[in-house]
Amino acid sequence: VVSPTYVCSASKLELFRAFCMVFPGFSMYGSLFALQRKLKESAFESMSLSEYQPAISMLYVGNLTFRMGHNIVFASVRPQLRVLIAVGLGALCMLLLALLVEGHIAPHLGVVYFAYLIGGAALATFEANVLHVLGTHGGRVQKAGL
């Protein structure tokens, strides 16, 4: 259990660093859930839920696969670079979904499968490595990030 006084003793700069490192992962996670309905309404309104929902479930498949497999796939990559790769994958995921919602690319369910799969992979890789990176900035920053 983290003591509130221990976290509060972190400087404002340390807390800002922790916030800036954790924010991309959590904002992407929230956005993936918020985009589900918008995506269905804008690009796949004629499709039944039984056809659409498996594509959204790829978020969990990617998350489960990379929660266990990121150490194999990125074995030769340092945790700092793994976090950057995860943020890049997350940005690609968000770009694809935004282009679908805005109608800049033709609605194809395969794009949703791919986007949510790499979104899950990005989240799992990010979550597993961001604590290591936060730890390099000091224990207080790491605990503030939690």
Side-chain angles (χ1 to χ4, degrees):
V1 177
V2 178
S3 160
T5 56
Y6 185 74
V7 172
C8 292
S9 68
S11 72
K12 289 182 181 181
L13 178 62
E14 291 171 327
L15 292 174
F16 182 72
R17 284 181 182 167
F19 173 79
C20 287
M21 292 185 78
V22 174
F23 182 74
F26 288 108
S27 63
M28 184 180 78
Y29 192 65
S31 297
L32 284 171
F33 282 103
L35 277 173
Q36 289 178 12
R37 182 185 305 162
K38 182 75 172 162
L39 190 61
K40 173 79 170 99
E41 291 170 355
S42 65
F44 300 100
E45 59 190 343
S46 64
M47 188 174 287
S48 72
L49 282 177
S50 63
E51 294 172 310
Y52 178 72
Q53 284 180 334
I56 301 301
S57 298
M58 293 307 287
L59 174 67
Y60 301 106
V61 172
N63 200 328
L64 176 66
T65 304
F66 268 78
R67 177 120 9 222
M68 297 181 288
H70 77 275
N71 284 324
I72 297 166
V73 175
F74 300 124
S76 62
V77 180
R78 293 187 346 243
Q80 291 86 350
L81 188 55
R82 289 180 190 186
V83 170
L84 293 176
I85 290 170
V87 171
L89 285 173
L92 177 62
C93 168
M94 292 286 103
L95 176 66
L96 288 172
L97 294 175
L99 290 173
L100 271 174
V101 167
E102 294 299 320
H104 296 294
I105 57 177
H108 190 276
L109 200 56
V111 176
V112 179
Y113 272 94
F114 178 70
Y116 273 87
L117 180 68
I118 64 170
L123 285 169
T125 303
F126 181 84
E127 292 167 352
N129 290 284
V130 76
L131 287 179
H132 180 274
V133 174
L134 283 172
T136 62
H137 293 283
R140 292 186 299 187
V141 175
Q142 187 177 31
K143 292 201 190 292
L146 288 173

